[in-house]
Amino acid sequence: MSALTDLSSFSAYPIVQAPMAGGASNPQLAAAVGAAGGLGFLAAGYKTSEAMYEEIRQLRDLTSHPFGVNLFMPQPGTVDPSAVAVYAEQLAGEAAWYATELGDPDIGTDDAYDSKVAVLLEDPVPMVSFTFGCPERSVCEAFAKAGTYTVVTVTSPAEALAAQRAGADAVCVQGVEAGGHQGTHRDDPQLDGAGIGLLSLIPQVREAVQLPMIAAGGLMRGSQIAAVLTAGADAAALGTAFLVCPESGASVVHKRAVTDPVFARTELTRAFSGRPARGLFNRFMREHGRYTPPGYPQIHHLTSPLRRAAAAAGDPQGMALWAGQGHRLARELSAGALVETLVAELRAAREEARA
């Protein structure tokens, strides 16, 4: 049984490197964050269970500090195949432009969830978090028995209550400002654009549940970490802030785009995956976002070759450049230096508040 039974016992500072699926959250980044006193995370989304385990093995070789692994929940099979087929026809020009084929939208909707859970129960890690839904109570109980701390990503008080009922140890409260996918438990197109801002969401969740809370969404400075801690969070998760670090596995094109003034804003879009996700506004979003039907992960699979081809061509206008609303505040520091800077800013903000 793990001795890490409280959120504050995982790291010296209340700073979490958010898991970013697609390659950014690699063992090198997680190890560097852990060594600096934060909590590093691996992202198991879009990987096989074998690839996930290999990254865990690499991270254990790099560090003895606690870390987390993020899992994507299986998605319901409610997507309209004809709508996906129509969108595929619309993307034919993109495929021709990048000289690639479109992906197969029907290669799976469960992200090898059961297999990954089995691996993590067989060889437990300190923390496991869940996105796009809430695990069954039996899963949380199995992880508790294995000594693994469980966290469920939530975007509303109702989702937080579901996590508490399922036996999760904590929640990661994600505001609409966050980069990448919105971690809603159910994808409802009628609620597009209706997400709650982080500083409004934290007190609502705090009044709804008695669980420790990690706050996520647009956080880039230590003063913002101080604000969410004051609002009721126990720790802060930062993704975009760590995306541009040299240890990050994000592509060079993606890293450059985050700090490029050409990309002045972010938007929520379904264009790349069929699920709302926040990224730097580019040509692909402008031309296709309004026509994209709900369809995750089918549309993610469909556009995957396009995104890879655009990255290989060095073309940020065809890539999913996930980033939070605070992306213009990104600093090209090493992960360790960034944690140290954030801690100094956090302390300064707290001292100023006391004064």
Side-chain angles (χ1 to χ4, degrees):
M1 183 67 68
S2 170
L4 300 171
T5 57
D6 182 76
L7 188 57
S8 63
S9 65
F10 284 86
S11 57
Y13 308 119
I15 297 173
V16 179
Q17 165 248 310
M20 295 170 281
S25 296
N26 60 11
Q28 292 73 26
L29 179 60
V33 171
L39 176 63
F41 248 94
L42 295 175
Y46 310 134
K47 294 183 174 73
T48 64
S49 57
E50 293 81 7
M52 176 195 73
Y53 183 76
E54 175 60 21
E55 286 206 341
I56 293 171
R57 187 194 64 76
Q58 292 176 22
L59 180 53
R60 285 172 169 157
D61 287 344
L62 292 171
T63 184
S64 59
H65 293 283
F67 62 92
V69 175
N70 176 254
L71 301 180
F72 285 173
M73 293 296 298
Q75 298 301 293
T78 57
V79 175
D80 181 359
S82 63
V84 176
V86 169
Y87 191 56
E89 291 177 4
Q90 181 185 328
L91 296 179
E94 297 281 351
W97 175 258
Y98 290 114
T100 187
E101 299 290 329
L102 294 174
D104 179 0
D106 299 317
I107 61 175
T109 61
D110 67 351
D111 201 52
Y113 172 78
D114 290 337
S115 177
K116 290 171 183 175
V117 168
V119 169
L120 293 169
L121 289 174
E122 177 69 23
D123 190 0
V125 299
M127 182 182 289
V128 169
S129 68
F130 303 86
T131 301
F132 299 152
C134 185
E136 298 288 335
R137 185 173 186 87
S138 60
V139 173
C140 289
E141 290 174 346
F143 276 118
K145 185 176 181 180
T148 296
Y149 194 91
T150 51
V151 181
V152 175
T153 303
V154 302
T155 63
S156 70
E159 291 177 351
L161 282 167
Q164 182 169 267
R165 288 193 296 268
D169 293 308
V171 289
C172 178
V173 179
Q174 185 197 48
V176 73
E177 306 94 334
H181 283 93
Q182 297 288 290
T184 51
H185 292 188
R186 186 171 66 91
D187 182 18
D188 184 351
Q190 295 187 19
L191 297 178
D192 281 6
I196 305 173
L198 184 59
L199 286 177
S200 296
L201 184 57
I202 291 171
Q204 293 181 48
V205 173
R206 175 54 67 215
E207 292 189 9
V209 300
Q210 305 302 314
L211 297 176
M213 187 188 312
I214 301 170
L219 305 177
M220 304 291 288
R221 294 286 188 267
S223 58
Q224 293 173 296
I225 297 173
V228 297
L229 296 180
T230 300
D234 299 278
L238 294 80
T240 306
F242 286 105
L243 182 73
V244 298
C245 293
E247 297 92 343
S248 159
S251 71
V252 172
V253 180
H254 194 167
K255 291 181 180 182
R256 287 176 180 166
V258 170
T259 56
D260 188 340
V262 167
F263 298 98
R265 62 188 173 93
T266 65
E267 277 196 10
L268 286 170
T269 184
R270 292 178 178 271
F272 296 103
S273 71
R275 211 180 205 279
R278 183 174 298 281
L280 302 177
F281 187 73
N282 63 4
R283 177 195 61 79
F284 196 99
M285 291 167 63
R286 183 179 64 252
E287 294 182 1
H288 302 293
R290 74 186 71 177
Y291 306 111
T292 316
Y296 179 86
Q298 287 83 351
I299 288 172
H300 162 80
H301 298 318
L302 184 73
T303 67
S304 182
L306 298 178
R307 291 179 276 122
R308 284 197 301 268
D315 179 11
Q317 297 297 335
M319 297 170 58
L321 303 171
W322 303 140
Q325 286 186 341
H327 71 99
R328 297 303 299 274
L329 297 174
R331 297 175 283 201
E332 298 178 74
L333 301 172
S334 70
L338 179 56
V339 172
E340 292 173 2
T341 301
L342 291 168
V343 170
E345 292 171 346
L346 171 59
R347 287 173 174 162
R350 284 174 161 172
E351 290 172 3
E352 183 177 350
R354 283 194 294 267

